[in-house]
Amino acid sequence: MNRAPSHILVVDDDDRIRDLTRRFLSNLGYHVTAANGGVTAKKLLEQLVFDLIVLDVMMPQVDGFELLEHLRQTDKTTPVIMLTARGETTDRIEGLKLGADDYLTKPFEPEELALRIAAVLRRVVVEEPVEEIEMSGLIFNLMREELKDGDKLVRLTDGETQLLKILAENAGEPVSREALANGTSAGADRSVDVQITRLRRKIEPDPKEPIHIQTVRSIGYRLMPDA
């Protein structure tokens, strides 16, 4: 069963960066709300619950440090990733002291931010282990590492099984090629791509138009089970 998308609040007074980040994360399947500054973000935080906050430091009226300090007075757990054009160690330390979970210096690549978000969410979101996932009638059991079509066992190579298990354990979230290569016997990004192609032939209704094992541009892949 597919989990609900994580709700992310992006706070940045730079219209271009805020819109780019919102669109990029939305395309990855996240539910994204954007705020153009600390004042607007404060109001949103009073009305909505977020799974993670991407917070710029340098903002007028209420800067990121002030907003983070305000947030941590009542909310000790919602993860926060700080964005700043300032890369000084003192600023990073200040953010971490106030309760930030991670820090990314501008200019940054959206792909790196997405990977950091996925990593933080994996650390803080505690969920019941998924035992099975369903994909267009096929069922993959993570414990037994078996893919079945009804009562019929679908044959997978060891590499395909490892790959599918990692993707299933992170269902709905992007997983980098590097992480897939390191976690399987593929050993190289290119080998991951080859095994993904073979895996799609066994899982996808139309391997040329995959709906379950999706390519995440510039990052890697994401497994989307049936809802």
Side-chain angles (χ1 to χ4, degrees), residues 182-213:
N182 291 338
T184 69
S185 59
D189 292 359
R190 180 56 186 161
S191 297
V192 167
D193 293 338
V194 171
Q195 292 196 49
I196 286 288
T197 299
R198 293 172 179 165
L199 198 52
R200 281 172 171 165
R201 292 175 186 153
K202 300 179 179 181
I203 290 174
E204 300 286 355
D206 181 0
K208 294 182 180 179
E209 297 290 338
I211 59 175
H212 296 301
I213 303 179

Side-chain angles (χ1 to χ4, degrees), residues 21-123:
T21 303
R22 179 188 60 77
R23 287 188 286 108
F24 188 86
L25 295 178
S26 295
N27 288 338
L28 291 179
Y30 293 112
H31 178 197
V32 184
T33 298
N36 62 3
V39 175
T40 303
K42 272 188 176 182
K43 295 177 181 177
L44 288 170
L45 288 167
E46 292 172 358
Q47 301 167 5
L48 300 170
V49 176
F50 298 95
D51 296 296
L52 183 142
I53 301 168
V54 177
L55 179 58
D56 184 34
V57 170
M58 297 295 291
M59 297 184 295
Q61 294 183 293
V62 178
D63 68 24
F65 291 145
E66 292 175 85
L67 183 59
L68 178 57
E69 188 172 18
H70 171 78
L71 174 68
R72 288 296 183 242
Q73 290 174 4
T74 56
D75 182 348
K76 306 294 185 183
T77 59
T78 301
V80 175
I81 296 178
M82 305 291 289
L83 300 178
T84 181
R86 300 184 300 182
E88 290 85 353
T89 302
T90 53
D91 290 330
R92 294 197 297 273
I93 291 174
E94 178 67 16
L96 295 172
K97 279 184 176 180
L98 291 173
D101 294 81
D102 203 350
Y103 217 104
L104 193 57
T105 302
K106 294 180 179 179
F108 62 90
E109 291 295 331
E111 294 87 353
E112 181 179 0
L113 175 61
L115 290 172
R116 286 175 181 263
I117 287 173
V120 171
L121 288 174
R122 282 196 294 271
R123 290 200 305 266

Side-chain angles (χ1 to χ4, degrees), residues 6 16 35 37-38 52 82 87 119 126 136 139 142 149 195 216 219:
S6 297
R16 185 186 65 83
L52 183 142
M82 305 291 289
V126 179
S136 298
I139 296 178
L142 281 76
D149 183 0
Q195 292 196 49
V216 181
I219 296 180

